[in-house]
Amino acid sequence: MSRPGVRLALLGALVLVIAVATLRFGSAKPDDSAGRRTTLEKIQRSGVITLGHRENSIPFSYFDDQQQVVGYAHDISVAIAREVQRELGMSGLTLKLVPVTSQTRIPLLINNTIDLECGTTTNNQVRGRQVGFSTNYFISGTRFLTRKGSGIHDLDDLAGRNVVVSAGTTSEIVLRRINAQRKLGIRIIAARDHGDAFVALEFGKAMAFMSDAAILYGEISKAKRPDDWHVVGTPMTEEVYACAMRKGDAEFKAVADRAIQRMMRDGDMRRLYARWFQAPIPPREVNLQVPLDPKLSALFAHPNDLPLQ
């Protein structure tokens, strides 16, 4: 692409990113806060908390048929926002929702566009050099989504084939590394997000979609014929999710951790899991029927015990 073309593409992406929706807890003042303030000071001054959300990551964070943001991780981010409101003693707080992708979520935190991102973001040491993380709230193994009858059962069956991943994810990094190490000859397609990756799979551009198993089950719910698809393969990595925030902001992290740990202690996190993974969900009212993994159950009982990867 020419340099003018690159500039236009980047400008278009920026316009998409800053197109936001707002949801009010109450009244708010205009945002005239400075980026150097702590997150809590910024929120108290402006009356606004800005939440990054995914557009198409069922069942974590996505738009329903009314174009409202819903999902397991979105409910957690809203709970954190309410905890922030209590911490600051504010009578009203506006939630400003900004769409993010795997590639934009960390840059938008660093440049103060968003204050918090709860989605499918893996808490690991590499990312921990750039951003801070809350208490861990989810665990999922990395596997493959493929059509039944494809003959694909595990990684070795994909040698010399096309595999799609979401750009900027740990799945992309791991697959590229293993592909090079084992000389499998896999042709890796990097899609913009999970939704685009599944479209590539549905249209036959790839034999499999590699991602966290929980994400893959969500993609099955979008299919015209969900029974045509299944998740296969030995888990290649274990992904532990947490909410991302600006690095070094201990006060804001303490509030986020308190909200998540209270949800675990009170049983709210298990109820959220049942709501989004074991019951019909919008927009198509498909039940993902994902059993609660023993490791995730243990995490709910003992939050933040897992080490960083």
Side-chain angles (χ1 to χ4, degrees):
M1 184 181 293
S2 67
R3 289 186 180 276
V6 170
R7 292 193 193 101
L8 286 173
L10 290 174
L11 180 59
L14 179 60
V15 170
L16 173 63
V17 165
I18 63 175
V20 301
T22 60
L23 172 65
R24 292 181 183 273
F25 285 162
S27 60
K29 298 177 290 184
D31 186 356
D32 59 352
S33 56
R36 292 185 179 180
R37 294 188 177 94
T38 67
T39 303
L40 291 180
E41 288 172 337
K42 175 176 177 285
I43 293 168
Q44 187 162 48
R45 183 177 178 87
S46 67
V48 177
I49 182 170
T50 307
L51 307 177
H53 71 89
R54 301 299 288 267
E55 298 176 276
N56 206 11
S57 187
I58 296 175
F60 291 93
S61 179
Y62 64 101
F63 286 122
D64 65 11
D65 53 358
Q66 303 299 314
Q67 288 300 291
Q68 299 296 310
V69 183
V70 297
Y72 175 87
H74 180 66
D75 285 348
I76 293 171
S77 65
V78 171
I80 293 172
R82 291 188 184 280
E83 187 69 24
V84 167
Q85 183 175 352
R86 283 192 289 269
E87 172 72 15
L88 296 176
M90 299 174 69
S91 60
L93 180 62
T94 291
L95 272 64
K96 184 177 181 181
L97 306 181
V98 177
V100 302
T101 68
S102 299
Q103 296 166 297
T104 64
R105 55 192 168 181
I106 289 178
L108 291 178
L109 275 169
I110 293 172
N111 71 13
N112 293 318
T113 299
I114 62 174
D115 299 316
L116 183 74
E117 189 269 335
C118 301
T120 55
T121 300
T122 300
N123 179 1
N124 60 30
Q125 291 178 344
V126 173
R127 288 178 178 155
R129 298 187 189 111
Q130 298 179 287
V131 297
F133 284 102
S134 70
T135 293
N136 299 319
Y137 64 78
F138 201 83
I139 303 173
S140 183
T142 307
R143 301 178 69 193
F144 298 100
L145 175 60
T146 188
R147 196 180 294 273
K148 292 178 181 177
S150 66
I152 304 300
H153 303 287
D154 218 327
L155 177 64
D156 289 341
D157 299 319
L158 290 164
R161 308 288 190 93
N162 289 358
V163 177
V164 65
V165 294
S166 298
T169 61
T170 52
S171 295
E172 179 185 10
I173 295 168
V174 168
L175 185 58
R176 290 191 186 281
R177 174 173 53 81
I178 294 176
N179 189 38
Q181 289 174 345
R182 296 179 55 181
K183 297 179 172 57
L184 294 172
I186 293 173
R187 293 180 292 275
I188 300 171
I189 302 169
R192 174 182 174 272
D193 61 18
H194 307 322
D196 289 348
F198 184 62
V199 169
L201 182 64
E202 274 196 306
F203 280 85
K205 295 181 180 179
M207 289 295 296
F209 171 20
M210 178 180 169
S211 189
D212 306 348
I215 293 171
L216 299 179
Y217 284 111
E219 294 306 310
I220 289 176
S221 74
K222 304 174 187 176
K224 294 178 181 178
R225 297 166 59 93
D227 290 342
D228 288 354
W229 304 90
H230 63 168
V231 176
V232 301
T234 305
M236 296 176 63
T237 63
E238 188 174 79
E239 305 299 320
V240 182
Y241 300 165
C243 294
M245 62 194 70
R246 278 179 286 280
K247 189 173 177 64
D249 196 335
E251 292 181 350
F252 187 61
K253 173 176 165 55
V255 175
D257 288 352
R258 185 165 66 242
I260 293 172
Q261 290 166 4
R262 179 184 293 128
M263 293 175 75
M264 292 181 177
R265 184 177 62 249
D266 295 348
D268 292 341
M269 201 69 80
R270 288 178 183 270
R271 285 188 284 273
L272 266 189
Y273 185 92
R275 164 72 182 89
W276 291 103
F277 290 91
Q278 298 177 326
I281 60 174
R284 299 178 60 190
E285 301 305 318
V286 173
N287 187 338
L288 303 183
Q289 301 182 66
V290 183
L292 180 62
D293 185 277
K295 288 186 178 180
L296 184 55
S297 180
L299 175 63
F300 289 167
H302 306 285
N304 226 24
D305 279 355
L306 290 175
L308 294 180
Q309 299 181 53

